[in-house]
Amino acid sequence: ALQPLDFYVVGESYAGHYVPAVTHEVWANNKALPSGAIRINLKGTSVGNGLVAPEIQYQYYKDMVVSTNGHKPAVGNLTHAAMQAATPACIAAIKACQAVAASCLVAIEVCNAALLLPYQASGMNVYDMREPCEKPPLCYDFSNVATYLDRAEVRAALGVGQRKWSDCNHVVALGFELSGDWMQSYEKKLPDQLGDGVRVLIYAGDQDYICNWLGNQAWAQAMPWPHRADFAATSPVPWMAGGKQAGTLQSSHGFSF
């Protein structure tokens, strides 16, 4: 009963990696389905404040950290200058990671130490630059989520047995880091889908630091695809919610930011 329905995949943050990867795999499989296989009716995909193209996005932490969009700069002039100076070495390390997976862990250490830790040291929320980080490392109290997921009926519905829930599993995260996945670029998975009529929406809240809108806008504009020039020539228009402007929207040929 579900198979004929339109299928959309949406995610945020590190889903900037696995959403493009998963939807590209679905798209590719749909092109060569064996007899009797079920076709997934992929129609669209979306990533919000995601890590999609690190080589481009890491260039914008130095700019975002001193932005004043409803908040004060998060660091002083000396720290900002140090971040500016460290950015070229970070980008070079990310480029090396694209070619040699063994070098990716170095890129993570070099880039995050220089461009993420200075902001975290400010005590401000990495997801909302207007407020302090109340409960490190995620800055929010997610204990109610753990309580809910530990209920017997929820465990039974999810089929998880006695496995424990954690907001962030560092063992799993380390696996991604050691495999070299963190610094890999995934925007290259999108042009095939766009060319075949799969709609793509990239969105970003303007107060998030960790996967900020400056970096997301930059890779969206730089991504090579047949209608890149058309997208670049399209002016952003007001995006309305509840009768008020809540952002801007730039769209062309099925691609929106």
Side-chain angles (χ1 to χ4, degrees), residues 8-44:
Y8 296 86
V9 181
V10 180
E12 51 86 31
S13 195
Y14 205 82
H17 278 43
Y18 59 76
V19 163
V22 167
T23 55
H24 189 273
E25 188 71 7
V26 171
W27 170 83
N29 286 342
N30 279 344
K31 290 296 182 184
L33 283 177
S35 177
I38 295 175
R39 176 183 176 84
I40 297 175
N41 196 24
L42 180 65
K43 291 294 186 181

Side-chain angles (χ1 to χ4, degrees), residues 64-173:
M64 193 68 188
V65 78
V66 293
S67 63
T68 55
N69 182 25
H71 52 79
K72 297 178 181 179
V75 300
N77 291 338
L78 288 178
T79 299
H80 180 233
M83 292 175 68
Q84 287 180 305
T87 297
C90 164
I91 303 308
I94 296 175
K95 288 182 178 179
C97 169
Q98 308 305 305
V100 182
S103 67
C104 293
L105 196 58
V106 172
I108 294 171
E109 293 174 349
V110 168
C111 294
N112 290 354
L115 303 175
L116 299 187
L117 290 183
Y119 180 87
Q120 291 175 316
S122 74
M124 298 303 289
N125 190 322
V126 294
Y127 306 110
D128 190 337
M129 296 182 72
R130 297 167 296 186
E131 60 185 42
C133 181
E134 298 289 353
K135 193 175 178 62
L138 295 180
C139 300
Y140 300 100
D141 182 1
F142 289 108
S143 58
N144 284 342
V145 175
T147 299
Y148 172 75
L149 291 174
D150 199 39
R151 292 170 58 170
E153 68 272 23
V154 176
R155 283 183 169 277
L158 295 176
V160 296
Q162 295 304 309
R163 280 175 287 183
K164 297 285 187 179
W165 161 263
S166 60
D167 297 314
C168 279
N169 189 312
H170 296 293
V171 175
V172 173

Side-chain angles (χ1 to χ4, degrees), residues 1-12:
L2 296 178
Q3 187 276 330
L5 299 179
D6 291 346
F7 185 75
Y8 296 86
V9 181
V10 180
E12 51 86 31

